[in-house]
Amino acid sequence: MLETIVGVLNDVVWSKPLVYGLLATGIIFSLMLRFFQVRHIKEMVRLMFHGEKSPKGISSFQAIALSLAGRVGTGNIVGVSTAIFIGGPGALFWMWATAFLGASTAFIESSLGQIYKREEKGEYRGGPAYYMEYGIKGGLGKVLGITFAIITIISMGLLLPGVQANAIASGFHNAWGIPYWIIGVVLAILLALIVFGGLRSIANVATAIVPFMAILYILMAVVVIAMNIKEVPDLFVLIFKSAFNLEASFGGILGAMIEIGVKRGLYSNEAGQGTGPHAAAAAEVSHPAKQGLVQSFSVYIDTLFVCTATGLIILLSGTYNTTNGETDGNGMPSLLYNGDVYVQSVDGTKDYSGTAMYVQAGIDKAFAGADYVFDPSYSGFGSYFVAIALFFFAFTTILAYSYMGETNVAYLTRNMSEKTSKFAMNIMRTMLIFATVFGTIRTAELAWDLGDLGVGAMAWLNIIGIWILFKPAVNSLRDYEKQMKEKGSGKYALYTPDPAKLPEAKFWLEDYPERLRESGEIDSFNPKLDKK
């Protein structure tokens, strides 16, 4: 009964209005921001490596590492495989398009996270719950903020960690036969050592792991491309022809292709879902637009780099299947393209749908060449690599879940004593660890559905919030561009909002100016003095 209810709710939450609404939002914001995602790529990269630091905030690089920890997860492997299964090679193009447009949505929500952030008990805190309450006038903002915070805590602390943990456990068990419970115990110990250390501990680990995991994964794709270099031009022709229904082999699935490409693109890079602003608000910057630009680039890294790496490994090796959406007389999917790759269960049932096996088989085939024969039970280099990739991707995602849950606990307890807030924080962290351990042993389909429902609800609430509040974020980019032109570099940009227009931007009106005066850093934003 519960499964049916959750399934119906998921169909409503993740319906076409949300998928295409997020896409339309990206288009409109891109127009408003004059396609900054093209004009300011150089500035995005510069800001990523040249951020400020303070005892109360994290650097821009730590912030992008923390947000990427949440964006880059099992969806970058399984999600891409599923997109190709449902939409064929053309789905990859629509994931690219979604990332390009979603960068504008990421800018808006991340800039708002900075504009309305607060200093809570010695740390910077912000995100959708904060900008909803402080930015939207009347009781609506508070209701939206509290609702968002509760949904986020339940989703990030209880429902989603087990899904990521199960992917780690399955990968290690398939590759080396390690019992699931041992993996669960190891994950619990690692998480306890990190998450109870708070924001800085999580950010430091994410900064160390995320660049390494992304580079390693992309390098594997480069190796596969090099091995199949002659086929690359034809592959890109196939992707573009399929994307516009011009490839006969994949004809008739254009609607499914666009929908799954957009949905998986959004699900992977999370632009508009309200997750990125949590890390963005924790960063120490002199102007909100700086973190908006950095977080926009994280969308590119997630989809244009990591998801593309997955797609190229799969498509170049031909280790994928694409369905026309129908089933045969035996209940098996009817395939437009059959790469003869599947996962075989204990009872002998074959699962041809998009799974991590697509990537595993793709890597094995790339190294074995013409001698390759697919065997679902074979544990070779592909299974080892996928297991390690899933560990890094999923483990850092769980860390990001912890921080997002922690931020929303801080929001709900911000007017309580520090002792009460810390107690609530530790309950959430403990809950996350138990959910992770349970997920390694057993992750029910219901947990996936409930997690999807929670994330979808977050997206709906966040989209409502950013459409009400987008103007300050748009104005912040205009102000930043103006200062770049006047001062010769964004390095000297300093955000000074109008108290009459943004009375709730308390951090920028009171806290930050006071800190600059006390530290004597105010002169560092004058390029003439800096040159002396």
Side-chain angles (χ1 to χ4, degrees):
M1 182 65 178
L2 180 58
E3 289 86 348
T4 303
I5 294 173
V6 172
V8 171
L9 290 174
N10 250 325
D11 289 339
V12 173
V13 169
W14 282 102
S15 58
K16 290 182 179 180
L18 176 60
V19 174
Y20 288 104
L22 283 166
L23 188 60
T25 296
I27 294 171
I28 295 171
F29 284 158
S30 293
L31 292 170
M32 286 182 181
L33 299 169
R34 298 185 298 121
F35 290 98
F36 78 101
Q37 57 264 67
V38 176
R39 296 187 293 112
H40 290 311
I41 288 180
K42 184 178 178 180
E43 184 69 0
M44 291 177 188
V45 176
R46 186 192 73 79
L47 289 169
M48 184 169 62
F49 294 104
H50 295 88
E52 299 95 320
K53 293 182 180 180
S54 81
K56 299 175 182 178
I58 59 178
S59 69
S60 287
F61 189 76
Q62 287 178 311
I64 195 173
L66 186 54
S67 65
L68 277 172
R71 297 184 201 276
V72 180
T74 57
N76 290 78
I77 295 177
V78 179
V80 177
S81 301
T82 302
I84 292 173
F85 174 70
I86 295 174
L92 195 59
F93 170 85
W94 293 107
M95 292 183 75
W96 295 336
T98 301
F100 176 76
L101 296 171
S104 65
T105 310
F107 177 89
I108 296 292
E109 63 182 0
S110 297
S111 296
L112 289 173
Q114 272 286 333
I115 291 170
Y116 292 101
K117 74 179 181 181
R118 289 288 197 271
E119 185 182 316
E120 305 279 5
K121 300 177 175 64
E123 290 184 341
Y124 295 154
R125 298 285 187 184
Y130 285 86
Y131 57 68
M132 286 173 187
E133 175 167 344
Y134 296 127
I136 301 174
K137 296 179 181 179
L140 176 62
K142 192 165 187 176
V143 170
L144 287 174
I146 291 173
T147 303
F148 183 92
I150 292 172
I151 290 173
T152 302
I153 292 169
I154 293 172
S155 298
M156 302 299 168
L158 186 62
L159 302 176
L160 291 171
V163 173
Q164 300 289 335
N166 190 261
I168 296 173
S170 297
F172 274 77
H173 181 77
N174 293 338
W176 293 287
I178 302 173
Y180 290 95
W181 70 268
I182 291 179
I183 300 167
V185 171
V186 172
L187 288 177
I189 294 171
L190 291 174
L191 284 171
L193 290 172
I194 298 168
V195 301
F196 282 98
L199 166 61
R200 292 198 171 278
S201 177
I202 294 172
N204 287 336
V205 173
T207 303
I209 293 179
V210 169
F212 169 75
M213 75 178 188
I215 292 171
L216 180 68
Y217 195 73
I218 293 167
L219 280 176
M220 175 54 69
V222 172
V223 170
V224 173
I225 291 170
M227 290 179 169
N228 300 273
I229 193 67
K230 293 181 180 179
E231 299 174 30
V232 171
D234 290 338
L235 174 62
F236 278 95
V237 170
L238 174 65
I239 291 172
F240 284 101
K241 286 179 68 176
S242 298
F244 297 97
N245 213 32
L246 300 175
E247 176 59 41
S249 302
F250 300 97
I253 61 169
L254 181 62
M257 181 192 309
I258 297 174
E259 190 167 330
I260 191 64
V262 172
K263 184 175 180 180
R264 287 299 167 185
L266 292 169
Y267 202 89
S268 175
N269 63 52
E270 299 183 357
Q273 290 182 22
T275 52
H278 295 93
E284 175 74 22
V285 289
S286 64
H287 200 291
K290 289 185 175 183
Q291 195 52 210
L293 290 167
V294 167
Q295 293 300 325
S296 296
F297 194 71
S298 76
V299 172
Y300 288 168
I301 295 173
D302 173 88
T303 305
L304 299 185
F305 297 160
V306 182
C307 285
T308 298
T310 297
L312 294 179
I313 289 171
I314 292 171
L315 294 174
L316 280 170
S317 303
T319 53
Y320 66 95
N321 309 306
T322 298
T323 180
N324 62 4
E326 300 177 359
T327 56
D328 59 24
N330 298 318
M332 300 299 291
S334 179
L335 301 177
L336 290 173
Y337 176 86
N338 186 355
D340 195 32
V341 56
Y342 54 86
V343 175
Q344 190 164 357
S345 61
V346 178
D347 62 3
T349 305
K350 296 179 179 180
D351 179 7
Y352 286 87
S353 64
T355 65
M357 185 63 78
Y358 285 15
V359 180
Q360 178 178 321
I363 293 171
D364 284 334
K365 184 175 180 179
F367 284 97
D371 297 330
Y372 178 76
V373 177
F374 175 72
D375 180 356
S377 63
Y378 173 67
S379 293
F381 181 74
S383 64
Y384 305 149
F385 182 82
V386 168
I388 294 170
L390 282 172
F391 170 75
F392 284 129
F393 287 2
F395 184 73
T396 52
T397 296
I398 297 172
L399 292 180
Y401 289 162
S402 177
Y403 175 66
M404 285 183 270
E406 180 182 308
T407 297
N408 285 280
V409 169
Y411 164 78
L412 293 176
T413 62
R414 64 196 185 283
N415 296 321
M416 301 179 187
S417 68
E418 188 170 349
K419 185 177 180 181
T420 301
S421 180
K422 189 174 182 179
F423 178 73
M425 206 83 74
N426 287 335
I427 289 178
M428 190 281 302
R429 292 163 177 163
T430 304
M431 180 174 69
L432 176 136
I433 292 171
F434 275 108
T436 299
V437 174
F438 182 78
T440 61
I441 302 169
R442 181 188 177 192
T443 296
E445 188 68 30
L446 181 60
W448 274 97
D449 292 341
L450 285 169
D452 284 347
L453 184 61
V455 172
M458 288 168 59
W460 271 109
L461 291 170
N462 188 56
I463 286 297
I464 292 170
I466 63 177
W467 266 114
I468 295 173
L469 294 168
F470 69 88
K471 286 185 179 179
V474 173
N475 290 336
S476 75
L477 180 62
R478 292 172 180 168
D479 178 67
Y480 185 74
E481 291 174 331
K482 180 182 177 183
Q483 293 193 53
M484 282 180 68
K485 186 176 181 179
E486 291 175 348
K487 299 180 178 181
S489 171
K491 174 183 177 181
Y492 307 106
L494 180 63
Y495 188 58
T496 52
D498 184 344
K501 294 180 179 179
L502 289 171
E504 292 295 337
K506 182 177 177 293
F507 174 81
W508 297 101
L509 293 171
E510 301 173 16
D511 299 342
Y512 193 63
E514 182 181 349
R515 189 177 77 73
L516 290 180
R517 284 193 296 269
E518 290 177 350
S519 64
E521 294 178 44
I522 188 68
D523 290 338
S524 65
F525 297 100
N526 187 325
K528 294 180 180 179
L529 292 176
D530 183 67
K531 289 174 183 177
K532 291 179 180 178

